[in-house]
Amino acid sequence: MKLNQLFTGLVILLCLSVTFAFIRADDDPIQKIITQLNKWADTYPQEKVYLHTDKPFYAAGEDLWFKAYLTVGEKHELSGLSNVLNVELINDQDSVKRAIKLPVLNGITWGDIALPDSLKAGNYRLRAYTNYMRNAGSEYFFDKTIVIGNSVNNNIFTNVSYQYATQNGQQKVSVAITYTDLNGNPYAGKEVNYEISLNSKDITSGKGITNSHGVLNISFTDKTPAILKPGRIITNIKYADKKTSTQTLLIKPLSDKVDVQFFAEGGSLVNGLRCKVAFKAIGGDGLGIDIKGLVKDNANNDIARLGPSHFGMGCAVFVPESGKTYKAVITMPDGSERSFALPAAADKGYTLSVAENTPGTLTVKIGASKTLVDAGNNVVSIIGQQNGQVYYAAKAKITGSSFAAAIPKSTFPTGIVQFTLFSATNEPLNERLVFVQNPDVLKLDVHTEKQTYAPREKVKIDINAVDASAKPMVGSFSVAVTDETKVPVDETAETTIMSHLLLTSDLKGYIEKPNYYFVSPSLQTQDNLDALMLTQGYRRFVWKQVLSDVFPPPVFQPEKSISIAGILKTSGGKVAPKGKVMLFSTTGGYFMLDTVADEQGRFAFRNLVFKDTARFVLQASKATNNTIVDITLDDAGRPKVDRNRNAPDLQVNVSNELSSYLKNSKSQYLEQLRFGVGDHVTALKEVVITEKKKPLLQNSNNLNGAGNANQIIKSDMLGMCPTLLQCLKGYLTGVIFKMDTAYLSRNYTGDTLIKSLPMLIIIDGMEMPLYFTLNEINAIDVGSVEVLRTPEYTNTYGNKGANGVIIITTKRGENSSFYPPDVLVYKAKGYYSAREFYSPRYDAPNITMADLRTTIFWKPNIITNKQGNASVEFYNADSKGTYRVVIEGIDNDGNLGRRVYRYKVE
């Protein structure tokens, strides 16, 4: 953007008889700030990802459907930076239960996660990120909490409540756990054992008997209560003869205290200047607590009233005076009062405030202390930028105590705008965040032929997309239709394409009910959103780094494809330039690739395409004399799972919250079993094992079963040979070695080879290439060797095993460190093949199975034409009620759109 364009529509307003000296923004030093910001934005373009899911919660045995929108830059254009997306399902103990990798084309992809019948009920997280996004940290990943219940393999449903009291100066927690079946019938008189842990430390255990209402009462003391202190109660209830069930219960609110923090607008309070102080009050569960109170000075005089709060956030405005201190006296929800010291005010400094005093216009006001005004010749600059793109810049000499600029909101696109005040030496002085809401989003018109349909009736939905100027737009959209009677939704708490890409993706920490600010925008929601801007941290970059002109290259590069890359080094640690590297695999059929490392010893195999998980073998050698070199792969591991930043969204009583939904889920499951449809695992009847026979081998990948072989050699039988080949020569029955290669003896007549193919060698489940010899394995690293010679064992391996199989299991299992340094076995995750959503057709007769679906229709790949039009067709389920249609998407210019539409089924 040209600098002269930054001042279009700029109006300077004079306040308090101030003289304002305007200076061109293309003069230094403001030019340096803009140049450095542009450089930062070019070096570190900001990628974001949003997942549109078909439902907000699920049950075990169902499918989770999603579409991913990957954007880049301040205009939220579909990204061409990364072509690979990682999606993970994480349980409430921060363990990844499912991870898939998806190819991204023009910023779009979609997929699904099958939730098995055996999945435990609880709180889960859906996390998505690209490799490049790891540079900014996991705080900026897509991370959404979802609740999953289980009515298929679960006979026990719990409801837990907590009460708090202070006893001997410590917090006593009383817990009441109710045990019932799916229909609410209590498990009375049942024995329960329990263990309680806080912050991953066991604090107590015990046992008890449920009362006539199925309730178990227990209590414990928390010596160090804190907000959002994680904890769990693990109970084992004996609900029938020889039948027990383990239930893990979340301890969420473990403190009845309220934490209150205060934030000065712009970062500082200055004596003699009108200042705004924002506050944020949160309870023990991490959610906002609405409070009220007064600001008082050190003489206990009432100075200002704390404004009304929403989600625990609000503001107070007053003029601090030199020599005085201030506190907030707050009335807590229980009626008690607490005092909090406010940030100290300085005698010298600046204030920065932003307000929408006139509709459609932002007033940016800068205040200066008397000492700064009297000093004269002070020059300040102000920058208004969004995601590194500067939209407003101005400079002025301070000749009075206050001045202001009126800026049209249309100067900025919708989203978070960061205003920063700089000194003459480009030192950041004050900062203020503002959320700008403009009518620049996509307008989606959605309609059906009628508002009321019958069960199983065909429905056609027409969609039209236009931009703010009513121009038809080509865009990519996804649509989810759910039975709202069974899937009720709190729209204010939803994560949407608007709330995520425009708001939460740019803020660290937890945002309570983010869609509240978008579902029905008003003056009230704007005021509450401004309070959020005043209290929530925002630091995608540090000014010191930007202005110092230090831009180290990103650690994690954008993935254009699945690749395997690394570096070659000699045994002495020096790089091995021009070394030869070979990659081969037998997963899904044998293939081999080779390449040559560059002058820095770096190599890469790019554009690999394979499904699921594949195992590869890499072998390398020096370019000159074929001596061995070490292979070190680039870090390809997944980022660690940090503590859930959305912990306040966790549900304590999952089964209770989803009781109606789970009853329908159980009915649907039984109906599908009756008709033999659906991907379900049938539970086996209880089997009593009277004796365990210890297998000959433990960790073997033998397809016949561990130890099912013609000959077994364990590690203690190998002796002290330097290589495995020397140990096995003459030791294996029916095997002969020629040129260090193993053949079945029956394939030889004297010294004449009848069949030319050697025995198949498998190491830790990985098939080795034909030229691989046992000389390359240290005998000390081997746990066992299994030899398969006869058809009863070799037939399992098909034609590849027809000439015999040698199965080697190392002591380290899948750890590949036993290989010589020039050989490396690597397991890589391939692309997941997304399934297609099944939508039944009822134009054919004699379909008798009850249709109890909750997701009626899902389609992730809707593209509007040049007229902005698209349509979808589907059939309703059997259930009557309100059906909810959610359409989300993005056009080619980065404009975002979302529309919720409803119709009746009677």
Side-chain angles (χ1 to χ4, degrees), residues 584-604:
F584 55 89
S585 175
T586 57
T587 302
Y590 180 83
F591 85 90
M592 184 185 73
L593 299 172
D594 58 13
T595 189
V596 176
D598 61 18
E599 293 291 346
Q600 287 73 45
R602 295 204 56 82
F603 69 91

Side-chain angles (χ1 to χ4, degrees), residues 602-826:
R602 295 204 56 82
F603 69 91
F605 295 95
R606 306 191 188 280
N607 300 316
L608 300 176
V609 178
F610 56 94
K611 297 179 181 180
D612 301 320
T613 300
R615 300 183 75 180
F616 296 90
V617 174
L618 293 98
Q619 189 168 29
S621 62
K622 263 190 172 181
T624 52
N625 53 12
N626 286 331
T627 57
I628 64 175
V629 293
D630 290 326
I631 306 172
T632 302
L633 292 182
D634 293 345
D635 179 21
R638 67 167 62 101
K640 70 175 185 177
V641 179
D642 294 327
R643 184 176 175 181
N644 188 359
R645 68 171 181 263
N646 296 316
D649 286 337
L650 301 180
Q651 295 292 326
V652 174
N653 295 304
V654 172
S655 300
N656 189 59
E657 294 290 333
L658 302 182
S659 59
S660 298
Y661 183 82
L662 292 177
K663 290 178 182 178
N664 181 82
S665 173
K666 184 64 174 285
S667 299
Q668 184 181 18
Y669 166 78
L670 294 175
E671 188 75 359
Q672 290 176 342
L673 284 185
R674 190 163 71 92
F675 283 85
V677 301
D679 186 15
H680 298 293
V681 178
T682 303
L684 297 176
K685 293 183 178 179
E686 184 177 0
V687 178
V688 178
I689 300 175
T690 57
E691 183 181 357
K692 279 189 176 181
K693 183 178 180 180
K694 188 175 181 180
L696 292 175
L697 297 176
Q698 293 286 335
N699 301 311
S700 167
N701 286 286
N702 188 342
L703 297 181
N704 299 290
N708 290 315
N710 296 108
Q711 187 178 3
I712 300 173
I713 300 96
K714 293 186 178 181
S715 58
D716 56 0
M717 302 163 60
L718 290 175
M720 300 298 293
C721 308
T723 69
L724 182 62
L725 178 63
Q726 293 183 26
C727 283
L728 297 183
K729 276 187 174 181
Y731 195 85
L732 299 186
T733 303
V735 177
I736 187 171
F737 288 92
K738 296 291 184 180
M739 299 297 290
D740 295 340
T741 302
Y743 296 88
L744 287 178
S745 300
R746 66 171 180 260
N747 290 342
Y748 267 85
T749 301
D751 288 332
T752 303
L753 180 64
I754 303 174
K755 293 184 179 180
S756 59
L757 289 178
M759 298 179 70
L760 174 66
I761 297 175
I762 298 176
I763 303 177
D764 288 340
M766 183 70 195
E767 298 177 11
M768 297 293 104
L770 295 177
Y771 54 81
F772 188 87
T773 72
L774 301 180
N775 245 338
E776 301 183 53
I777 303 177
N778 293 325
I780 195 172
D781 291 312
V782 175
S784 66
V785 178
E786 298 167 87
V787 182
L788 315 183
R789 300 191 312 272
T790 58
E792 62 177 306
Y793 297 124
T794 60
N795 286 347
T796 309
Y797 290 86
N799 292 332
K800 292 183 291 185
N803 295 292
V805 183
I806 296 177
I807 301 172
I808 301 168
T809 301
T810 70
K811 293 177 181 178
R812 300 171 180 85
E814 292 187 349
N815 189 324
S816 60
S817 61
F818 80 96
Y819 291 101
D822 64 332
V823 176
L824 184 69
V825 175
Y826 173 63

Side-chain angles (χ1 to χ4, degrees), residues 77-96:
E77 295 175 309
L78 290 171
S79 177
L81 195 62
S82 297
N83 293 339
V84 179
L85 180 69
N86 301 285
V87 180
E88 298 166 348
L89 182 68
I90 304 170
N91 68 8
D92 60 2
Q93 298 184 47
D94 298 332
S95 174
V96 177

Side-chain angles (χ1 to χ4, degrees), residues 192-203:
V192 181
N193 293 291
Y194 62 86
E195 295 179 355
I196 301 176
S197 64
L198 297 175
N199 278 342
S200 301
K201 295 181 179 179
D202 295 336
I203 64 167

